[in-house]
C-alpha cells in the first residue's frame, strides 16, 4: 500500500504501556455467573462473546477461561508498566492512524452526520466501556464508547499463526471493526441485542454470522472508495485482504484447532462467505447490496 505521507487521524489513544486490570489464575469462577449472564444479554456482549469464541479457536484456549479473566478484571484500575516500543511498532501505529483517517474520509462521503470512532492502541490488556480485555481476544469494537481496540502484536499473529501477512490485510482488520461502528450508527447493533433474548443459541449464531459478514462487506465498500479516492492499493493488496478473510473463517479455524467443523457454532461465517462478502463490497461499492440479513444463500 502507498500509505506513507498521508493524513493520520487525530482520533487515536495510545495506551501502550498501560496494563489493564489484573487477571486471576485463569479458571472460570462460578461466582461470575451473574455478571456473565448480564454480559450475554447486553449490547456489548454481542461483540465480546463472539470475540472470545473466535480467539479460543485461534489460540486453542478455553473460552470460559478468557471470559473469566475478562470479568475478574472488570473492577480494577489500570497501572503503568514498562513498555519498550520498537521501530516496527511505531510504523504500525502510524499505519493504523493513517488507515483510520482514510476510513473517516470514506464514511464521511457515504454517510450524513458520520460519527468518527476512536482507535485505542494497547499492549497486553486494556479497560473499555465494555469491561477489560486482554490482547488474546484480538481487535474488537466496543459500542459502549464507540472505540476500536487494537494490540499491534495481533498483526504479527496474523502473519505467523494465521498465514495472513501484508499491510492491506492489516487495513482490512481495521476496516472490519469500523464496519461494526457503522452497524452501531445504523441501529443494527440494537436490533441484534433485542434478538438475543428471543432466540436459541443456535439460531442467534446464525444472525451473528450475518452481522460479521456485513462488517466484511462494509470493509469491502471502504476499500472500493478508498482506492477511488486515493489509489493507495498496489498489485497484490486485494489478494492480501481476501486471504485474511479466508484465514479467519469459522470452518478453517475450527478445523485447525480441533479437526472438526461444527456449523451450528459458527459466529463469523465460513472462509468462502467472508471472502465473498468482502469482494462484493469491493466490487460494487453499493451499500444497498450489503443486506446480509435477508440474503439467501449467504
Amino acid at each position: 500500500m502507498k500509505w506513507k505521507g498521508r493524513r493520520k487521524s487525530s482520533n487515536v489513544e495510545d495506551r501502550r504501556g498501560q496494563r489493564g486490570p489484573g487477571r486471576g489464575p485463569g479458571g472460570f469462577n462460578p461466582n461470575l455467573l451473574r455478571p456473565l449472564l448480564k454480559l450475554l444479554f447486553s449490547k456489548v456482549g454481542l461483540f465480546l462473546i463472539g470475540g472470545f469464541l473466535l480467539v479460543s479457536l485461534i489460540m486453542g484456549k478455553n473460552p470460559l477461561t478468557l471470559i473469566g479473566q475478562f470479568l475478574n478484571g472488570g473492577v480494577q484500575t489500570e497501572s503503568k508498566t514498562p513498555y519498550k516500543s520498537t521501530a516496527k511498532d511505531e510504523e504500525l501505529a502510524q499505519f493504523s492512524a493513517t488507515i483510520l483517517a482514510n476510513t473517516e474520509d470514506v464514511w464521511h462521503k457515504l454517510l450524513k452526520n458520520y460519527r468518527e470512532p476512536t482507535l485505542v492502541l494497547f499492549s497486553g490488556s486494556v479497560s473499555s466501556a465494555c469491561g477489560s480485555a486482554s490482547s488474546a481476544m484480538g481487535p474488537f469494537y466496543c459500542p459502549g464508547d464507540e472505540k476500536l481496540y487494537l494490540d499491534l502484536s495481533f498483526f504479527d499473529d496474523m502473519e505467523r499463526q494465521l498465514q495472513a501477512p501484508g499491510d492491506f490485510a492489516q487495513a482490512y482488520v481495521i476496516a472490519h471493526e469500523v464496519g461494526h461502528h457503522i452497524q452501531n450508527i445504523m441501529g443494527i447493533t440494537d436490533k441484534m441485542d433485542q434478538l438475543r433474548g428471543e432466540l436459541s443459541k443456535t439460531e442467534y449464531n446464525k444472525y451473528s454470522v450475518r452481522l460479521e459478514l456485513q462488517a466484511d462487506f462494509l470493509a469491502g465498500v471502504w476499500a472500493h472508495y478508498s482506492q477511488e479516492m486515493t489509489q493507495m492499493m498496489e498489485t497484490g493488496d486485494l489478494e492480501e485482504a481476501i486471504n485474511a478473510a479466508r484465514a479467519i473463517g469459522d470452518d478453517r479455524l475450527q478445523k485447525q484447532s480441533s479437526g472438526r467443523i461444527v456449523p451450528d457454532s459458527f459466529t463469523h461465517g465460513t472462509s468462502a462467505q467472508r471472502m465473498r462478502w468482502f469482494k462484493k463490497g469491493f466490487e460494487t461499492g453499493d451499500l444497498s447490496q450489503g443486506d446480509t440479513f435477508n440474503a439467501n444463500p449467504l
Side-chain angles (χ1 to χ4, degrees):
M1 292 184 70
K2 296 178 288 187
W3 63 271
K4 293 184 178 180
R6 299 182 184 273
R7 182 179 78 86
K8 300 176 184 63
S9 175
S10 60
N11 296 312
V12 178
E13 291 180 21
D14 192 346
R15 299 191 203 169
R16 292 175 294 168
Q18 296 180 13
R19 188 167 299 279
R23 299 288 183 252
F28 182 74
N29 185 341
N31 292 327
L32 297 174
L33 182 59
R34 182 175 294 178
L36 171 59
L37 291 174
K38 183 178 180 181
L39 176 66
L40 285 171
F41 287 94
S42 68
K43 181 192 299 185
V44 300
L46 168 66
F47 297 97
L48 293 180
I49 299 301
F52 289 130
L53 293 174
L54 178 61
V55 171
S56 69
L57 289 172
I58 296 174
M59 307 299 292
K61 295 183 177 181
N62 186 333
L64 288 180
T65 296
L66 295 177
I67 294 170
Q69 291 176 341
F70 174 86
L71 294 172
N72 268 323
V75 297
Q76 301 180 35
T77 57
E78 292 181 347
S79 60
K80 287 284 186 178
T81 57
Y83 175 76
K84 185 176 181 181
S85 179
T86 65
K88 181 180 179 181
D89 289 338
E90 291 311 307
E91 182 171 79
L92 285 174
Q94 296 299 311
F95 167 80
S96 300
T98 301
I99 297 303
L100 183 64
N102 187 261
T103 66
E104 293 166 354
D105 294 339
V106 167
W107 289 111
H108 273 301
K109 177 180 179 179
L110 298 179
L111 299 179
K112 292 182 179 179
N113 302 316
Y114 176 63
R115 301 194 302 270
E116 297 176 355
T118 296
L119 172 64
V120 178
L121 301 178
F122 71 96
S123 56
S125 57
V126 70
S127 295
S128 73
C130 300
S132 62
S134 73
S135 58
M137 71 171 288
F140 67 96
Y141 171 72
C142 176
D145 54 22
E146 298 195 346
K147 294 180 179 182
L148 291 64
Y149 291 83
L150 172 65
D151 186 326
L152 295 172
S153 66
F154 180 76
F155 292 149
D156 188 46
D157 293 339
M158 285 179 62
E159 181 173 354
R160 292 186 298 103
Q161 299 181 26
L162 299 178
Q163 290 78 53
D167 50 10
F168 202 73
Q170 297 163 356
Y172 156 72
V173 169
I174 295 172
H176 175 91
E177 298 306 329
V178 172
H180 284 310
H181 177 62
I182 301 300
Q183 292 170 322
N184 190 32
I185 289 175
M186 297 175 70
I188 297 171
T189 305
D190 288 332
K191 292 179 181 178
M192 286 290 292
D193 192 37
Q194 293 170 7
L195 287 174
R196 183 179 296 278
E198 301 173 3
L199 302 173
S200 67
K201 181 179 178 181
T202 298
E203 287 301 312
Y204 185 80
N205 283 348
K206 295 177 181 178
Y207 281 92
S208 176
V209 166
R210 292 175 183 271
L211 185 80
E212 294 296 333
L213 293 179
Q214 187 177 66
D216 284 331
F217 172 83
L218 293 170
V221 170
W222 159 76
H224 174 96
Y225 286 100
S226 171
Q227 181 64 2
E228 184 179 275
M229 294 163 63
T230 67
Q231 292 79 52
M232 279 199 296
M233 292 176 63
E234 298 178 292
T235 301
D237 280 345
L238 180 60
E239 289 72 21
E240 288 179 2
I242 292 174
N243 179 55
R246 178 191 66 83
I248 55 179
D250 285 324
D251 53 342
R252 182 175 185 269
L253 293 174
Q254 286 186 355
K255 191 169 184 179
Q256 277 186 330
S257 65
S258 67
R260 297 174 59 248
I261 297 175
V262 186
D264 284 347
S265 68
F266 288 176
T267 57
H268 286 64
T270 67
S271 293
Q273 289 170 337
R274 301 200 73 167
M275 291 188 291
R276 181 161 62 250
W277 281 98
F278 174 82
K279 287 178 65 177
K280 185 174 184 179
F282 179 76
E283 291 170 355
T284 67
D286 184 356
L287 286 174
S288 68
Q289 296 195 40
D291 185 4
T292 56
F293 292 93
N294 291 304
N296 189 22
L298 278 174

